[in-house]
Amino acid sequence: QPYKDGDMPESIRVAIASNSAAQLNGHFGSCIRFLVYQLSRDACRLIDIRSTIEADSAEDRNLFRANLIKDCHVLFVQSIGGPAAAKVIRADIYPIKVPDVIDADDKLREFQQVFDAPPPWMAKALGKEPEERVRFALHE
């Protein structure tokens, strides 16, 4: 579905490495596409499907792939190597490995629960002020 900024307040963009249908079943360095979703606590919208075919002819395939999803906050992959993970992290994308094949919708529904108490990096992506991003408070 088309998406323009502001359509889904307090949402993040999520990329899923996929080789078939709408499944999370791809390795970062060899998946054939990234499914790109806009995700909020209560809504999930597939907003783009990005082919990785051109990455094969790029000088740095992993950098090409990271740049392909640089507007995303989170990346779900079945696996990712260390050098590739470093490039993804440098692009301000949080990689999460999910070794089992799972439907993208199922993983995203599960991930929506994190919105209730987001870790600081996610709170920042959601536009929360620094004071709102404190994960643990000191109790005296």
Side-chain angles (χ1 to χ4, degrees):
Q1 293 179 3
Y3 174 82
K4 66 180 194 306
D5 285 340
D7 278 359
M8 293 172 65
E10 293 194 14
S11 65
I12 61 172
R13 190 154 300 158
V14 178
I16 292 185
S18 178
N19 288 317
S20 60
Q23 291 196 308
L24 193 172
N25 62 352
H27 182 286
F28 179 77
S30 64
C31 67
I32 61 171
R33 68 176 158 258
F34 291 109
L35 307 172
V36 179
Y37 293 83
Q38 196 69 27
L39 186 70
S40 70
R41 175 66 184 104
D42 302 311
C44 177
R45 186 184 306 175
L46 177 64
I47 62 169
D48 203 3
I49 298 173
R50 300 180 186 165
S51 171
T52 61
I53 301 296
E54 290 181 37
D56 293 338
S57 59
E59 187 173 318
D60 185 333
R61 292 179 7 188
N62 290 330
L63 183 59
F64 184 94
R65 286 169 179 269
N67 285 333
L68 195 60
I69 57 169
K70 68 182 175 199
D71 60 329
C72 297
H73 302 98
V74 177
L75 165 67
F76 284 106
V77 293
Q78 260 197 307
S79 60
I80 186 169
K87 288 176 181 158
V88 167
I89 292 165
R90 253 185 255 127
D92 270 343
I93 304 165
Y94 192 84
I96 300 174
K97 290 201 291 190
V98 181
D100 297 324
V101 173
I102 185 171
D103 284 339
D105 289 342
D106 292 342
K107 188 65 197 169
L108 292 170
R109 265 194 300 279
E110 178 186 307
F111 190 64
Q112 282 176 314
Q113 296 171 18
V114 177
F115 280 80
D116 293 336
W121 65 266
M122 187 172 164
K124 181 180 179 185
L126 289 168
K128 304 281 186 197
E129 294 300 318
E131 305 79 51
E132 299 175 275
R133 295 185 221 151
V134 176
R135 179 74 169 182
F136 302 104
L138 294 175
H139 298 285
E140 294 182 20

